[in-house]
């Protein structure tokens, strides 16, 4: 019974085996076999490398959350006493908002805040990052202190020139274009007039971001230093905010905002009109109505296996075809030159020695 099933299975075998005595091996075939092995290893390595790499796809859609408020996160040090500084937000609708209730103005010593300013940039070059790296940074530990490392709140400052102010907090504004400005009392707003000789809008930005606060994510203006060369000066930052959604291969979603910025510095030496444009620090932000969705994914393991099988099979079949063509070419050249072709070196020709009778059988 078992022999009958085996016989039927043998008849269905599509992979016929050739006996070793019928096979003809050559040096050219061995060389071609080595090339095939190296080519297959290269294809397999390339496919595995591509499988391990992440791919990012970007899509654009109309922002459906324009009616929701926008959170602005700020953390920066200004080289002026806190009691002289005013922080306001003015949007395109003309609505002005004093944000002192939402932020903290903490007095610090100017020497500690601006002690070592060498090596700081005015705008960061943001490197491209994988989505899973961005989400890992966003999920990292958050800062529990209000002041940056190395800066302590000053209990008493005797000299006005030694005073600085750290501005920290998150402000909720309408999701429309607007202007966040830091000025001195009496310059553009009410209050006691601050003398020009006291003005100094040199500042260091530790954090400026839009949306939920993720301190570990680096933004273009984070950890940047900006020096004012004179009292009558103004810093203008034109910020374009783009709502962004990150989706990693595990379908985890991170909603935040990216922004690009252009910086302009103006002083009285540049014929800056201080009568109509007061000195200060101005962040003019524009909200794009387009949401960018960045989805990160990589190929499935099964598709990689299928591509590897297809590529290696193609290489093997092509190599066999090339070997046959080479053999036919060599045989045709040998015949045209009048040389005898050795049948033992021909493809598909049985070795003549196989037909010789063994000596022990001839004696029978």
């Amino acid at each position: 019974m078992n022999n009958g099933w085996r016989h039927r299975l043998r008849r269905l075998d599509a992979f016929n085996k050739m006996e070793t005595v019928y096979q003809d091996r050559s040096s050219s075939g061995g060389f071609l076999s080595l090339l095939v092995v190296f080519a297959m290893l290269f294809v397999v390595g390339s496919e595995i490398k591509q499988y391990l790499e992440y791919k990012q796809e970007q899509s654009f859609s109309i922002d459906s959350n324009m009616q929701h408020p926008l959170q602005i996160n700020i953390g920066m040090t200004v080289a002026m006493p806190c009691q002289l500084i005013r922080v306001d937000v003015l949007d395109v609708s003309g609505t002005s908002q004093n944000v002192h209730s939402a932020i903290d103005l903490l007095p610090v010593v100017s020497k500690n805040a601006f002690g070592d300013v060498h090596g700081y940039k005015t705008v960061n070059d943001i490197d491209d990052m994988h989505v899973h790296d961005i989400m890992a940074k966003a999920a990292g530990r958050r800062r529990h202190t209000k002041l940056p490392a190395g800066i302590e709140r000053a209990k008493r400052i005797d000299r006005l020139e030694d005073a600085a102010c750290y501005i920290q907090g998150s402000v909720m504004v309408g999701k429309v274009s607007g202007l966040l400005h830091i000025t001195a009392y009496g310059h553009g707003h009410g209050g006691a007039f601050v003398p020009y000789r006291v003005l100094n809008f040199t500042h260091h930005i530790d954090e400026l971001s839009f949306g939920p606060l993720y301190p570990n994510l680096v933004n273009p203006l984070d950890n940047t230093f900006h020096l004012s060369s004179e009292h009558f000066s103004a810093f203008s930052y034109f910020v374009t905010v783009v709502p962004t959604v990150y989706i990693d291969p595990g379908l985890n979603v991170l909603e935040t905002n990216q922004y690009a910025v252009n910086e302009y510095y103006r002083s009285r030496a540049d014929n800056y009109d201080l009568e109509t444009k007061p000195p200060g620090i101005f962040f003019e932000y524009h909200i794009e109505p387009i949401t960018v969705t960045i989805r990160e994914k990589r190929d499935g393991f099964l598709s990689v296996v299928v591509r590897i099988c297809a590529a290696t099979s193609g290489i093997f079949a092509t190599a066999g075809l090339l070997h046959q063509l080479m053999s036919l070419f060599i045989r045709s050249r040998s015949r045209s030159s009048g040389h005898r072709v050795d049948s033992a070196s021909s493809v598909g020709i049985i070795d003549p020695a196989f037909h010789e009778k063994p000596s022990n059988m001839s004696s029978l």
Side-chain angles (χ1 to χ4, degrees):
M1 188 68 178
N2 292 336
N3 292 334
W5 279 105
R6 290 182 180 178
H7 180 69
R8 293 176 183 176
L9 289 176
R10 286 176 181 175
R11 295 182 61 183
L12 295 175
D13 187 5
F15 305 96
N16 296 325
K17 283 76 178 175
M18 182 179 291
E19 297 292 339
T20 306
V21 294
Y22 297 112
Q23 298 177 4
D24 182 27
R25 302 180 184 275
S26 63
S27 58
S28 61
F31 177 74
L32 191 60
S33 298
L34 289 176
L35 292 181
V36 168
V37 170
F38 287 127
M40 288 182 176
L41 290 176
F42 176 77
V43 169
V44 172
S46 301
E47 290 293 339
I48 293 177
K49 180 182 178 182
Q50 185 176 358
Y51 168 71
L52 296 177
E53 292 178 349
Y54 291 94
K55 298 179 181 179
Q56 292 188 1
E57 295 181 352
Q58 294 188 5
S59 59
F60 303 88
S61 60
I62 301 298
D63 186 11
S64 59
N65 297 323
M66 294 299 293
Q67 70 277 10
H68 295 170
L70 175 67
Q71 179 175 315
I72 303 178
N73 310 299
I74 185 171
M76 60 184 296
T77 307
V78 181
M80 287 176 56
C82 292
Q83 61 268 27
L84 306 181
I85 293 176
R86 181 185 175 106
V87 183
D88 298 88
V89 174
L90 178 67
D91 60 26
V92 292
S93 65
T95 303
S96 180
Q97 178 182 355
N98 187 293
V99 298
H100 279 254
S101 59
I103 62 175
D104 296 314
L105 302 180
L106 306 176
V108 296
V109 179
S110 178
K111 184 179 180 180
N112 295 337
F114 303 101
D116 185 11
V117 296
H118 298 288
Y120 284 108
K121 298 180 179 180
T122 55
V123 177
N124 292 316
D125 297 325
I126 305 300
D127 298 328
D128 292 335
M129 296 179 62
H130 293 292
V131 172
H132 61 276
D133 293 331
I134 294 176
M135 300 188 75
K137 284 183 173 293
R141 296 181 60 184
R142 301 193 176 189
R143 187 173 60 239
H144 296 288
T145 58
K146 293 183 178 181
L147 291 173
I151 302 179
E152 296 181 357
R153 183 170 182 173
K155 297 180 179 179
R156 178 180 177 181
I157 301 177
D158 297 328
R159 297 178 54 192
L160 196 63
E161 295 80 4
D162 297 334
C165 185
Y166 186 75
I167 306 172
Q168 189 270 341
S170 297
V171 182
M172 302 301 295
V173 298
K175 203 171 184 179
V176 294
S177 300
L179 177 66
L180 170 66
H181 49 281
I182 301 172
T183 56
Y185 283 102
H187 298 269
H189 294 280
F193 184 80
V194 177
Y196 286 128
R197 61 179 180 81
V198 183
L199 299 180
N200 184 2
F201 287 102
T202 296
H203 59 282
H204 179 277
I205 301 176
D206 293 286
E207 173 80 30
L208 182 69
S209 60
F210 298 83
L213 176 60
Y214 301 108
N216 295 324
L217 293 181
V218 179
N219 298 286
L221 288 176
D222 289 358
N223 201 29
T224 57
F225 176 74
H226 310 265
L227 178 64
S228 176
S229 59
E230 58 180 271
H231 301 291
F232 307 96
S233 61
F235 295 87
S236 296
Y237 300 93
F238 298 93
V239 182
T240 301
V241 182
V242 181
T244 307
V245 178
Y246 295 103
I247 304 176
D248 67 1
L251 300 182
N252 298 311
V253 179
L254 173 66
E255 296 185 4
T256 182
N257 296 273
Q258 300 181 91
Y259 68 85
V261 60
N262 290 318
E263 176 194 9
Y264 295 93
Y265 173 75
R266 291 167 293 182
S267 64
R268 176 162 288 183
D270 303 320
N271 296 322
Y272 183 57
D273 186 9
L274 294 174
E275 299 299 330
T276 58
K277 300 178 182 179
I281 305 169
F282 303 89
F283 298 97
E284 184 174 338
Y285 55 91
H286 172 71
I287 312 297
E288 292 289 343
I290 301 297
T291 297
V292 179
T293 301
I294 303 177
R295 184 187 300 270
E296 185 178 67
K297 64 179 184 179
R298 59 184 181 186
D299 296 336
F301 180 75
L302 183 59
S303 63
V304 175
V305 173
V306 171
R307 288 202 304 267
I308 290 177
C309 293
T312 53
S313 301
I315 292 174
F316 192 82
T318 304
L321 179 62
L322 290 176
H323 187 241
Q324 291 185 13
L325 293 176
M326 290 170 57
S327 300
L328 291 174
F329 176 75
I330 294 173
R331 290 169 60 188
S332 62
R333 287 289 302 271
S334 300
R335 289 174 180 174
S336 61
S337 60
H339 295 286
R340 178 178 177 272
V341 180
D342 188 2
S343 60
S345 62
S346 301
V347 177
I349 305 299
I350 299 177
D351 190 347
F354 177 76
H355 297 280
E356 295 182 1
K357 295 182 180 181
S359 58
N360 58 350
M361 292 187 65
S362 60
S363 61
L364 296 177

